[in-house]
């Protein structure tokens, strides 16, 4: 599902002529198979988010190559990446990233609208997914009228609505209590089992790491070791 | 993303900032209204001063005033036939002057109107318009101009007493009755060059028709049109032979050629030149005046466009603010997978809507203002100058072309001014937007 070859990345900071280079990733190799749940851990500032952004196509790696679902996306322009992301990747952000002026249902509907799905079908799909994430009582609530866990579930529903084969999540449980977290984890497992969706999850959390088939760790911008169960 | 969904986004965005959108539309409307009203004056004056003329027979008429054969004193029937053969010639009007004539009616006289003999078939083709009566059918029938009666003054009145200051006959000495269908006496005179006694001849004729008043109210015409047969009869009585060839065929004093349309005038002038006729058409002159007016209209439109450009600064501002405000939302949408093109289109649609709404409202208001100006300004001018303004004068006119030009200018300008903000929207960096850095 994800194949990364020799990806390195550095950020360039400051103005021209006085640039400073912040090296983050060094020659990362990584393979995530179809239907796997993989967790990614590492110290703060180790470059986890950077790697996920590269996989999601938000930033271009300084060098190396990224392929998703057999398609090399490195070097694509923004439009191509956007279209690809819409069809193939559901992205769950650490701080939800919901549009505040839209209701829960409208936020979830957004990918369907971008996709050009007919209105009737959209309504049906949103209802279904709201039930799945147990938010059927809150479709008309604005993000500010929802709890953190509810907002996170809206974000997950939005990531799932187009049935992407791959979901990237950046600390999805970071702001959830343990009960809600357990619910979320069982949802992830269910989706993985039933729909065969591949997950790559950044986490600090042992509970999350536990449901993963594999655990990867980044240290000093390098892939450190592989722990846990091997892919089925 | 379907067009309908994009439009829904635009509506939602505009709803969030109703006042700002309204003000921007207002500015665009004022700009386009100013443009139209300003240029409409050019169109209005052009229309009322020139256009009638251009579309009338005046432009298709070519006066033939001679041939390059200096021996020939008039135009013969052969000449007329030759002229009729020229391509695109609609009608040829040949005219014989009746010379000096006076018309007597019940003790009233019209002294020396311009009296001519014409072929009324040709007159019909050339577009003669009658106010009342009919065209002559017999030789002793004539038509007179609409002002003919204004020149019928009482006989035996002292010349000094007869006229007002501006040269017209005082109303108390005017013929009061209707002249149509009256029998009138025509008195033709000749003053031989050999010094012999002047001779006169009279003939009773019937006024069977009165020509329609000319469009221009200021022009007085005192004229009579008679049949060629009457002319011959008078000439025979006067023993005048100037107007005939040795074979006895008529010689015409004046010939007018009518082109089938304004475009063919030039070609006809060329063939006339080849055939040795001296001709004049006022088309060229009118064309020049026309060009002048068109340049003036273009100038007014350009000045008006400046107003639209100023309004476009408002649109630029509004759209830039909208993009800045919505940067976080744009970032989220792009993160989900919104194509930059889609985002650009949404913003372009919004600025286009503002421009279109402004242009349409401005156009509607401009029509209203134009109507009020046309109705009000003549009244005011009449008050100030105490003079009547002719009804044909139109101060402001908005042809469809002007409205279309203005709407196009307004749209182009707003789309241009909205395109940079729209571009900015597509350039929003996803990660920075998500971190709320912009
Ligand atoms: N836009 C940027 N410009 C410059 N440096 C950056 C930028 N984004 C991240 N960095 C730097 O890159 C390094 C890796 O950041 P990254 O966000 O990937 O860490 P992380 O592993 O996700 O940390 P955390 O667990 O705290 O989220 C950090 O040292 C950070 O300062
Ligand atoms: Mg991070």
């Amino acid at each position: 599902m994800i194949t990364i070859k020799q990806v390195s990345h550095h950020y360039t900071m400051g103005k021209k002529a006085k640039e400073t280079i912040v090296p983050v990733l060094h020659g990362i190799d990584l393979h995530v198979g179809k239907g796997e749940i993989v967790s990614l851990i590492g110290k703060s500032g180790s470059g986890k988010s950077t790697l996920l952004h590269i996989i999601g196509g938000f930033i271009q790696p300084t060098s190396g190559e990224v392929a998703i679902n057999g398609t090399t996306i490195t070097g694509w322009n923004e439009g191509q990446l956007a279209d690809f992301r819409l069809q193939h990747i559901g992205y769950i952000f650490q701080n939800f990233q919901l549009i505040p002026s839209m209701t829960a249902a409208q936020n979830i509907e957004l990918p369907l609208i971008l996709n050009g799905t007919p209105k009737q079908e959209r309504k049906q799909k949103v209802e279904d997914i709201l039930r799945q994430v147990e938010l059927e009582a809150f479709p008309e609530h604005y993000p500010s009228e929802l709890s953190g866990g509810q907002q996170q579930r809206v974000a997950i529903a939005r990531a799932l609505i187009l049935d992407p084969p791959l979901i990237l999540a950046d600390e999805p449980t970071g702001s959830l209590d343990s009960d809600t977290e357990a619910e979320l984890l069982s949802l992830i497992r269910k989706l993985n089992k039933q729909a065969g969706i591949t997950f790559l999850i950044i986490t600090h959390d042992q509970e999350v790491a536990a449901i993963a088939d594999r655990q990867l760790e980044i240290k000093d911008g390098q892939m450190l070791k592989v722990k846990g169960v091997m892919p089925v | 993303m379907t067009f309908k969904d994009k439009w829904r986004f635009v509506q939602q965005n505009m709803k969030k900032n109703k006042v700002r959108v309204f003000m921007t539309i207002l500015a665009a409307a004022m700009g386009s209204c100013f443009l139209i009203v300003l240029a409409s004056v050019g169109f209005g004056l052009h229309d009322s001063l020139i256009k009638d003329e251009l579309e009338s027979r005046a432009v298709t008429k070519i006066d033939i005033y001679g041939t390059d054969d200096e021996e020939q004193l008039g135009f013969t029937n052969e000449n007329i036939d030759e002229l009729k053969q020229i391509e695109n010639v609609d009608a040829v009007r040949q005219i014989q002057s009746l010379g000096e004539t006076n018309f007597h009616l019940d003790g009233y006289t019209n002294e020396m109107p311009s009296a001519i003999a014409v072929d009324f078939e040709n007159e019909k083709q050339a577009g003669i318009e009658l106010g009342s009566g009919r065209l002559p059918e017999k030789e002793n029938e004539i038509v007179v101009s609409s002002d003919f009666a204004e020149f019928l003054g009482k006989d035996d009145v002292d010349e000094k007493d007869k006229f007002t200051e501006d040269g017209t006959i005082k109303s108390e000495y005017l013929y009061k009755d209707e002249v149509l269908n009256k029998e009138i006496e025509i008195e033709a005179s000749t003053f031989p060059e050999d010094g012999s006694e002047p001779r006169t001849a009279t003939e009773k004729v019937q006024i069977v028709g009165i020509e329609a008043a000319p469009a221009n109210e200021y022009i007085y015409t005192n004229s009579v049109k008679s049949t060629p047969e009457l002319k011959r009869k008078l000439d025979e009585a006067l023993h005048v032979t100037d107007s005939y060839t040795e074979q006895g065929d008529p010689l015409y004093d004046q010939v007018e050629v009518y082109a089938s349309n304004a475009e063919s005038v030039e070609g006809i002038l060329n063939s006339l030149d080849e055939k040795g006729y001296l001709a004049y058409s006022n088309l060229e002159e009118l064309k020049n005046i026309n060009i002048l007016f068109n340049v003036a209209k273009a100038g007014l439109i350009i000045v008006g466009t400046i107003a639209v450009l100023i309004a476009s600064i408002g649109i630029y501002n509004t759209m830039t603010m909208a993009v800045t405000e919505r940067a976080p939302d744009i970032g989220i949408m792009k993160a989900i997978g919104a194509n930059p093109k889609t985002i650009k289109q949404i913003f372009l649609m919004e600025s286009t809507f503002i421009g279109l709404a402004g242009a349409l409202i401005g156009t509607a208001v401009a029509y209203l203002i134009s109507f009020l100006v046309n109705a009000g300004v003549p009244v005011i001018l009449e008050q100030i100058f105490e003079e009547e303004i002719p009804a044909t004068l139109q101060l402001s006119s908005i042809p469809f072309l002007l409205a279309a030009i203005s709407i196009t200018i307004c749209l182009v300008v707003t789309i241009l001014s909205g395109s940079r903000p729209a571009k900015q929207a597509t350039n929003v960096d996803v990660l920075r937007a998500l971190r709320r850095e912009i």
Side-chain angles (χ1 to χ4, degrees), chain B residues 117-118 138-140 226-234:
Chain B
V118 293
K138 294 197 232 66
E139 61 175 36
N140 277 27
S226 76
T227 59
E229 292 79 12
L230 182 70
K231 156 88 176 160
R232 190 179 282 267
K233 221 169 171 184
L234 289 168

Side-chain angles (χ1 to χ4, degrees), chain A residues 11 13 22 24 43-50 171 204, chain B residues 435:
Chain A
Y11 290 104
M13 281 174 38
V22 186
V24 181
K43 275 204 300 213
S44 180
S46 57
K48 305 183 297 292
S49 296
T50 305
E171 301 195 40
H204 287 302
Chain B
R435 286 196 296 265

Side-chain angles (χ1 to χ4, degrees), chain A:
Chain A
M1 180 53 63
I2 307 173
T3 307
I4 293 177
K5 279 187 207 143
Q6 284 300 308
V7 162
S8 300
H9 190 71
H10 60 248
Y11 290 104
T12 314
M13 281 174 38
K15 290 193 183 107
K16 271 197 184 138
K18 279 199 270 178
E19 294 163 341
T20 48
I21 289 181
V22 186
V24 181
L25 300 175
H26 308 284
I28 302 252
D29 280 309
L30 167 68
H31 180 83
V32 176
K34 197 165 164 41
E36 265 192 302
I37 301 179
V38 174
S39 70
L40 185 61
I41 59 169
K43 275 204 300 213
S44 180
S46 57
K48 305 183 297 292
S49 296
T50 305
L51 182 61
L52 213 63
H53 289 152
I54 289 173
I55 298 170
F58 295 127
I59 42 183
Q60 292 287 343
T62 319
S63 68
E65 206 178 87
V66 178
I68 290 170
N69 222 355
T71 316
T72 305
I73 61 164
T74 318
W76 282 13
N77 68 30
E78 232 192 330
Q80 290 171 309
L81 285 169
D83 292 340
F84 186 82
R85 206 180 299 140
L86 185 63
Q87 299 309 328
H88 297 91
I89 303 173
Y91 208 107
I92 301 170
F93 299 91
Q94 191 169 359
N95 40 3
F96 323 134
Q97 303 292 1
L98 301 176
I99 294 183
S101 59
M102 290 185 183
T103 63
Q106 285 171 335
N107 266 292
I108 295 169
E109 195 187 5
L110 202 53
L112 291 169
I113 293 177
L114 292 174
N115 197 25
T117 312
K119 201 162 183 201
Q120 210 46 47
E121 200 180 322
R122 287 202 310 246
K123 219 179 138 209
Q124 192 54 49
K125 281 198 164 167
V126 171
E127 269 173 31
D128 289 350
I129 204 112
L130 275 170
R131 208 168 310 119
Q132 244 180 13
V133 295
E134 291 168 16
L135 281 173
E136 58 266 56
F138 305 95
E140 299 306 319
H141 283 236
Y142 286 91
S144 59
E145 299 162 354
L146 293 169
S147 74
Q150 289 167 333
Q151 286 183 52
Q152 189 66 300
R153 277 183 279 158
V154 173
I156 290 166
R158 185 180 63 186
L160 288 172
I161 191 88
L162 285 179
D163 299 321
L166 172 65
I167 289 196
L168 305 175
D170 196 342
E171 301 195 40
T173 57
S175 47
L176 302 183
D177 63 72
S178 57
D179 279 358
T180 333
E181 186 188 322
E183 277 169 31
L184 180 63
L185 291 179
S186 72
L187 177 66
I188 289 178
R189 220 174 341 211
K190 191 177 85 183
L191 287 165
N192 176 254
K193 284 263 145 34
Q194 288 176 358
I197 297 175
T198 310
F199 283 86
L200 178 58
I201 305 168
I202 296 177
T203 188
H204 287 302
D205 196 320
Q206 278 315 304
E207 307 277 329
V208 181
I211 66 155
D213 301 318
R214 271 197 296 156
Q215 185 172 322
L216 305 173
E217 186 177 347
I218 290 186
K219 193 174 182 187
D220 300 329
Q222 276 168 332
M223 204 52 88
L224 200 62
K225 52 190 157 183
V226 183
K227 269 204 280 189
V229 210
M230 285 308 289
V232 222

Side-chain angles (χ1 to χ4, degrees), chain B residues 347-386:
Chain B
F347 281 94
L348 274 183
M349 268 168 82
E350 185 169 339
S351 55
T352 307
F353 172 81
I354 291 176
L356 190 64
L360 292 179
I361 294 171
T363 307
V365 175
Y367 270 106
L368 188 73
I369 291 178
S370 166
F371 174 78
L372 293 177
V373 163
N374 284 334
V377 170
V379 176
I380 296 169
L381 288 182
E382 273 168 27
Q383 294 289 329
I384 297 173
F385 298 110
E386 290 175 353

Side-chain angles (χ1 to χ4, degrees), chain B residues 79-90:
Chain B
N79 289 141
I80 305 300
D81 287 340
E82 186 178 28
L83 292 173
K84 280 182 179 162
Q85 296 302 315
I86 297 176
E87 212 180 324
N88 290 327
V89 167
D90 240 16

Side-chain angles (χ1 to χ4, degrees), chain B residues 96-129:
Chain B
Q96 288 179 295
S97 168
L98 287 190
E100 292 188 9
T101 49
N102 292 318
F103 289 79
H104 305 288
L105 176 60
D106 295 343
Y108 289 82
T109 299
N110 186 333
E111 288 175 26
M112 287 199 272
S114 97
I116 53 176
V118 293
D119 178 342
F120 285 98
E121 274 311 307
N122 289 340
E123 292 301 292
K124 252 193 254 173
Q125 280 178 323
I128 187 174
E129 277 182 59

